[in-house]
Amino acid sequence: MDKRLPWPDYFMRIAYLVAERSTCLRRKVGAVAVRDRRILATGYNGSPTGTAHCLDIGCLREKLGIPSGERHELCRGLHAEQNVIIQCALHGVPIAGADIYCTTQPCLICTKMLINSQVNHIYFSQGYPDPLSAEMIAEAGIGFDVLEGDHGS
């Protein structure tokens, strides 16, 4: 009997490890793009390269009292999924057809980006207060599944 960790759990655990690099004070999120059981890119949420991290200067969203799931444009950071897409683009790695493993369900902005990136499937571990995200993923015909269990969170 094969007692090895199943592939989806393996990649989700890696997403949780990637999240440990996050510089966000509110929520640590990691994402991994995978095709043919090979990692294409990873991303975590945090400020753009060369700019101050929220860890160092504080959270703009906290200062403004913005609830989770609202007004994403009022934030210094990029989301983990955005950073995965950017890393693929920066290094010339096609993301179309990839599976995405996210520690948290993608928000609507990231969902729209992942749809247009033509990803195949999105796996996530924790929910997020953004019901339109799930509706748009279903409408686009992209696989969308929660991975239950302990992934190192």
Side-chain angles (χ1 to χ4, degrees), residues 117-128:
S117 295
Q118 300 177 2
V119 300
N120 183 53
H121 205 109
I122 300 168
Y123 298 94
F124 66 96
S125 180
Q126 302 169 0
Y128 190 73

Side-chain angles (χ1 to χ4, degrees), residues 27-107:
R27 180 191 311 254
K28 292 184 176 295
V29 180
V32 179
V34 175
R35 188 174 39 249
D36 299 325
R37 296 183 180 164
R38 300 293 178 252
I39 295 173
L40 304 176
T42 64
Y44 53 87
N45 56 330
S47 299
T49 303
T51 66
H53 296 292
C54 299
L55 282 174
D56 300 324
I57 63 170
C59 176
L60 175 64
R61 294 175 62 78
E62 285 293 325
K63 289 176 188 170
L64 297 175
I66 300 169
S68 182
E70 296 179 15
R71 304 291 313 268
H72 297 289
E73 74 280 7
L74 295 176
C75 180
R76 293 185 56 80
L78 292 159
H79 287 186
E81 303 91 334
Q82 293 168 334
N83 274 322
V84 161
I85 294 166
I86 291 166
Q87 287 302 307
C88 283
L90 195 62
H91 298 288
V93 176
I95 195 172
D99 294 335
I100 306 296
Y101 292 83
C102 304
T103 58
T104 303
Q105 175 186 329
C107 72

Side-chain angles (χ1 to χ4, degrees), residues 12 81 98-108 110-112 114-115 119-147:
M12 187 60 75
E81 303 91 334
D99 294 335
I100 306 296
Y101 292 83
C102 304
T103 58
T104 303
Q105 175 186 329
C107 72
L108 181 59
C110 290
T111 292
K112 293 185 284 188
L114 291 169
I115 290 169
V119 300
N120 183 53
H121 205 109
I122 300 168
Y123 298 94
F124 66 96
S125 180
Q126 302 169 0
Y128 190 73
D130 202 336
L132 184 54
S133 170
E135 291 175 29
M136 288 193 76
I137 289 169
E139 183 179 343
I142 294 173
F144 190 61
D145 289 300
V146 63
L147 288 180

